[in-house]
Amino acid sequence: MKTVFTIAAFCLFAGFAHAGGETPSNPEAKVYFVNLSDGDAVQSPVTVVFGLSGMGVAPAGTEKENTGHHHLLLNRPPIGEGDDGADELAYGLPADDNHMHFGGGQTEVTLDLPPGQHTLQLVLGDAGHVPHNPPIVSEVITITVE
Ligand SMILES: [Cu+2]
């Protein structure tokens, strides 16, 4: 009886402890900005080049081990933080002006950005746009568009 209770308690705990979706990542994998660093001052349009090591890029919908597609988070709290944090890690990233999907397997984008500060973060998503477990995310960088 005690064992049953322990298993049930573990399942309950696991259900709340969202560390990402169900697709395993290579925990050593890294996603990063190739051509931009925190604090950079740039001119619009801004080209952003996405780097990935330890895993491969595949278009959305591709169920292949250790692959995913890039997402660029623009001017929103770091992944996992804020009101949508748990939902987006468990159920997938929304698609809007603050969450850009590169489901074709693209590895760069050129953005028209208004003058001022902008925060950027890269997140790898699986075939269904859900971050892996553990999530593969870049550092958050702030750039200033002059
Ligand atoms: Cu996506």
Side-chain angles (χ1 to χ4, degrees), residues 63-80:
E63 303 267 3
K64 187 161 178 265
E65 202 175 317
N66 281 329
T67 66
H69 64 279
H70 287 287
H71 300 84
L72 178 61
L73 307 192
L74 178 67
N75 297 327
R76 53 140 288 155
I79 187 78

Side-chain angles (χ1 to χ4, degrees), residues 8-103:
F10 177 78
C11 290
L12 194 65
F13 174 75
F16 282 107
H18 293 307
E22 294 178 354
T23 305
S25 61
N26 170 8
E28 307 283 299
K30 291 211 171 1
V31 64
Y32 54 92
F33 294 99
V34 173
N35 64 326
L36 291 173
S37 300
D38 190 39
D40 277 359
V42 297
Q43 310 265 333
S44 186
V46 184
T47 296
V48 185
V49 181
F50 320 141
L52 176 64
S53 67
M55 288 177 67
V57 174
T62 306
E63 303 267 3
K64 187 161 178 265
E65 202 175 317
N66 281 329
T67 66
H69 64 279
H70 287 287
H71 300 84
L72 178 61
L73 307 192
L74 178 67
N75 297 327
R76 53 140 288 155
I79 187 78
E81 294 180 18
D83 292 346
D84 299 330
D87 279 357
E88 69 206 359
L89 282 177
Y91 307 117
L93 294 158
D96 56 30
D97 289 348
N98 302 105
H99 305 80
M100 287 169 251
H101 291 244
F102 298 91

Side-chain angles (χ1 to χ4, degrees), residues 36-44 46 74-75 111-120 141-146:
L36 291 173
S37 300
D38 190 39
D40 277 359
V42 297
Q43 310 265 333
S44 186
V46 184
L74 178 67
N75 297 327
L111 301 171
D112 281 313
L113 292 174
Q117 290 198 330
H118 300 275
T119 63
L120 308 173
I141 64 169
T142 302
I143 60 171
T144 302
V145 175
E146 295 178 327

